[in-house]
Amino acid sequence: MTTNIITILGATGSIGSSTLDIIRHQSRLGHQWQIHALSGFSQLDKLFELCAEFHPNRVCVPSDKVDKFAHHLSSSGLDIDVVGGQAGLMDLASDEKSGKIIAGIVGSAGLRSTLTAVKAGKTVLLANKESLVMAGDLVMQTARTQKATILPIDSEHNAIFQCLPQAVQMDNVVIHQTDFGIKQLWLTASGGGFLYKSYVDMQNATVAQAVKHPNWNMGQKISIDSATMMNKGLELIEACHLFNLDESQIQIAIHPQSIVHSMVEYIDGSVLAQLGEPDMKTPIAHALAYPKRMSNGVKPLNLFEIGALEFICPDKDKFKALDLARAAAKAGNGACIALNASNEILVSAFLNHQIRLTDIADMVEKVLNDGELHTHFNTNFHNIDDILLFDERVRAKTHIYLKAM
Ligand code: NDP
Ligand code: MG
């Protein structure tokens, strides 16, 4: 049986850790999951510990670390095949023994392996939203032709998935959502750490303040994206691709409690929501067990403790990333690549104390108004090399804007 075998790309990160916590919980209940392969990047001590605990068959590290890591494993009596770099990740993603693939690498570094898994017809539990932002049409078309299954584990998209009719869940690429009476989606957003702060507070935010999320415990990049609300912008584009909808059919509502993880509104006035504690172990367990359910150790939701749920219309002046993402979604594939690439560079620049938090959206806007790049914004790229080539051009341009500051 292959259903209980998994491979975690990005095992050392936040998504990887939540997934492994579920596996530990399941093991305590007597349900064994086999980990075929794991990958890490900079936290190789942590990856080594995971190898010692879970005994995967294969592991991927950066290319220049393969020999040292392999030696470390073998001298500790661990017989694990070590592969390296993007080629190694792609090897694991297409390995016929990999089982379900958790796409938990952060940023554009996750694109090639995600697409490889989809090409190999795998069941892909997708956290790496950037791969849909950069290559949504390509990924979804490939999933369709290769009969791969994409199960969203980004909490909002997982919530929407859960609120959709089963026929749409099974084939949301070809089915017309209107046939099922779907009017629009409501993506909820916590509003991040600056929801109740002024724009000036946001301008003066330190890295430590900006990475601290009020409700979720996540990796650095997505935490900064949440502070600027670029995360919700990326999720808007992610939702357009996953659910085959236009950006105009997706509303964004700030919901500071992060209990309603998103909603589907139907033409008869019904709005279906998925609720739960803000804990990534819920969407991950849903996707791991789909179409069944499994226990994951998540604290049960206590509605009486929560008391009230609020929904607020986002302040688009303070969080201009939202409109930038909408504009990119309207403009086309090239614009979405530009939005994502420039954002990645600028988030790193903020984390390196080079720019202010509010500069991120301001400079993404400059990139989206760049005359030279603009001509490619409505291009629909059909292969990954062209996508990555344009991505590189945008990064180079963003560095020029950064230097000119
Ligand atoms: P983390 O930064 O915590 O983890 C990222 C993982 O990717 C780590 O295993 C890291 O390895 C690896 N990695 C980083 N850079 C590279 C690279 N260049 N090549 C190969 N591997 C690399 O991120 P998160 O877990 O928070 O996020 C992962 C993805 O999931 C993102 O796309 C994010 O948007 C999405 N997501 C995350 C949520 C969350 O709660 N964390 C919620 C919803 C979506 P190492 O740590 O060893 O350097
Ligand atoms: Mg999310």
Side-chain angles (χ1 to χ4, degrees):
M1 222 171 79
T2 56
T3 45
N4 282 358
I5 303 175
I6 59 168
T7 283
I8 308 177
L9 305 180
T12 45
S14 163
I15 290 289
S17 301
S18 295
T19 308
L20 290 166
D21 275 348
I22 299 172
I23 302 305
R24 289 185 188 100
H25 175 81
Q26 283 280 303
S27 166
R28 285 192 291 274
L29 297 179
H31 307 305
Q32 296 310 324
W33 284 70
Q34 191 192 326
I35 313 270
H36 178 66
L38 298 174
S39 89
F41 189 67
S42 62
Q43 303 187 72
L44 297 190
D45 289 345
K46 185 169 176 183
L47 185 65
F48 180 84
E49 283 168 25
L50 296 178
C51 288
E53 181 182 355
F54 291 100
H55 297 273
N57 302 312
R58 309 188 71 194
V59 69
C60 182
V61 296
S63 306
D64 58 340
K65 302 284 176 6
V66 170
D67 292 345
K68 196 171 166 202
F69 199 74
H71 178 72
H72 190 19
L73 288 172
S74 59
S75 58
S76 307
L78 292 166
D79 180 18
I80 298 173
D81 176 37
V82 186
V83 291
Q86 283 291 330
L89 291 170
M90 289 161 71
D91 185 352
L92 301 186
S94 56
D95 183 341
E96 60 177 24
K97 295 188 183 138
S98 277
K100 293 174 179 166
I101 308 281
I102 317 291
I105 290 176
V106 62
S108 55
L111 174 59
R112 278 193 191 276
S113 50
T114 302
L115 187 61
T116 303
V118 171
K119 268 190 187 153
K122 301 277 185 199
T123 294
V124 182
L125 278 59
L126 187 67
N128 179 253
K129 64 191 79 179
E130 294 88 349
S131 55
L132 285 183
V133 174
M134 295 173 75
D137 284 344
L138 181 63
V139 170
M140 296 308 288
Q141 281 298 336
T142 310
R144 196 173 148 195
T145 51
Q146 298 302 108
K147 303 208 178 335
T149 302
I150 297 181
L151 297 172
I153 54 178
D154 203 348
S155 57
E156 297 76 3
H157 306 74
N158 181 272
I160 290 166
F161 185 90
Q162 293 196 45
C163 297
L164 288 172
Q166 202 190 17
V168 181
Q169 288 181 350
M170 301 314 260
D171 196 354
N172 54 44
V173 184
V174 276
I175 271 174
H176 291 291
Q177 319 297 36
T178 43
D179 291 350
F180 288 85
I182 295 165
K183 185 176 171 198
Q184 59 181 0
L185 308 180
W186 285 88
L187 271 184
T188 53
S190 68
F194 298 92
L195 177 60
Y196 300 117
K197 302 260 168 69
S198 69
Y199 182 80
V200 175
D201 289 335
M202 229 173 127
Q203 257 182 336
N204 296 328
T206 62
V207 168
Q209 287 166 338
V211 293
K212 202 174 163 340
H213 194 280
N215 304 342
W216 297 92
N217 185 9
M218 312 181 285
Q220 275 199 325
K221 195 242 169 195
I222 186 173
S223 298
I224 301 299
D225 285 346
S226 297
T228 60
M229 287 197 75
M230 182 59 87
N231 182 47
K232 213 48 55 183
L234 299 175
E235 289 183 353
L236 171 92
I237 300 168
E238 181 186 13
C240 290
H241 290 294
L242 276 171
F243 306 116
N244 199 20
L245 289 168
D246 188 74
E247 60 76 32
S248 61
Q249 294 167 285
I250 302 171
Q251 300 288 331
I252 295 174
I254 292 184
H255 166 50
Q257 292 79 21
S258 295
I259 296 295
V260 173
H261 297 303
S262 280
M263 296 169 265
V264 179
E265 182 176 343
Y266 291 84
I267 50 173
D268 61 2
S270 298
V271 180
L272 301 194
Q274 184 258 354
L275 283 70
E277 281 288 322
D279 187 329
M280 286 307 292
K281 291 201 287 290
T282 295
I284 296 171
H286 169 265
L288 279 173
Y290 183 80
K292 297 184 179 166
R293 296 273 174 176
M294 71 190 206
S295 142
N296 53 5
V298 169
K299 185 181 150 199
L301 188 63
N302 185 331
L303 287 170
F304 300 126
E305 243 171 44
I306 295 157
L309 299 173
E310 294 168 274
F311 299 93
I312 306 165
C313 187
D315 175 346
K316 289 183 184 163
D317 294 328
K318 193 159 118 191
F319 298 114
K320 71 191 218 186
L322 292 174
D323 276 349
L324 294 176
R326 263 197 205 281
K330 266 189 222 156
N333 188 193
C336 294
I337 295 171
L339 178 90
N340 182 65
S342 56
N343 181 58
E344 275 191 36
I345 298 288
L346 295 162
V347 169
S348 298
F350 172 72
L351 289 170
N352 291 329
H353 309 279
Q354 283 171 266
I355 57 171
R356 295 173 302 184
L357 186 65
T358 47
D359 292 333
I360 297 177
D362 288 346
M363 293 184 71
V364 169
E365 187 175 26
K366 276 193 183 157
V367 172
L368 290 180
N369 286 329
D370 183 279
E372 241 177 65
L373 297 172
H374 213 267
T375 50
H376 299 282
F377 282 176
N378 63 2
T379 307
N380 197 3
F381 294 93
H382 295 294
N383 74 68
I384 199 160
D385 292 329
D386 291 345
I387 288 171
L388 291 172
L389 207 65
F390 187 57
D391 173 273
E392 272 309 315
R393 262 185 76 182
V394 175
R395 282 167 199 266
K397 209 41 181 291
T398 312
H399 280 296
I400 293 173
Y401 283 122
L402 259 177
K403 274 201 191 116
M405 268 192 81

